[in-house]
Amino acid sequence: MHTVAVEWVPALDRLPKDSDCVLGAITGRYPDGHEDPGSRTGEQFWLVLPMYFHSRHVDEETGALFHDCFVDSDRVVRLPYGGATPEQITHWAELPVLPGTTERQILGDDVSSALRTALS
């Protein structure tokens, strides 16, 4: 088993390239459950999730336009730390490369040979 080092970049120092898939370190508070559903007075958290960075993104539900935001697979929009979203990104990191390669994505005919090499 190989150890992969992650280089965390403070979101206030530098942002990823548009449409990059990254790991985001997210902070916020869970909803309390006893108050208004939009209220975030519960336990504070800081966790890691995969997400995409977008220099421009329109929220499908509200139509709101966001600049320089991170969006997860559930389409939750998060701004860099200090932004106006309930949950914010403190740091981000590039995803590691695929085992035995220097690539983060392999498509088509090259997948089988890459898998054979990595699994042998």
Side-chain angles (χ1 to χ4, degrees):
M1 183 173 204
H2 299 333
T3 302
V4 177
V6 173
E7 180 184 339
W8 288 105
V9 178
L12 295 177
D13 290 354
R14 182 169 48 96
L15 295 172
K17 294 183 302 237
D18 191 34
S19 299
D20 273 0
C21 184
V22 299
L23 295 174
I26 303 160
T27 189
R29 287 190 176 275
Y30 289 113
D32 191 335
H34 296 95
E35 299 180 20
D36 176 0
S39 173
R40 302 234 175 212
T41 57
E43 183 176 22
Q44 190 171 9
F45 63 83
W46 194 29
L47 54 86
V48 174
L49 288 177
M51 48 193 28
Y52 284 92
F53 175 78
H54 297 287
S55 59
R56 182 179 184 277
H57 176 78
V58 177
D59 186 296
E60 293 177 6
E61 289 184 21
T62 66
L65 174 63
F66 292 92
H67 293 279
D68 296 337
C69 64
F70 297 81
V71 182
D72 72 11
S73 61
D74 292 328
R75 297 190 175 101
V76 176
V77 176
R78 297 173 178 94
L79 293 174
Y81 192 72
T85 52
E87 298 174 7
Q88 301 163 7
I89 303 298
T90 62
H91 298 75
W92 62 273
E94 289 186 350
L95 296 176
V97 296
L98 289 163
T101 77
T102 59
E103 305 294 327
R104 289 184 174 82
Q105 175 179 311
I106 299 174
L107 302 171
D109 296 336
D110 295 332
V111 172
S112 293
S113 63
L115 282 172
R116 274 193 303 279
T117 300
L119 296 172
S120 60

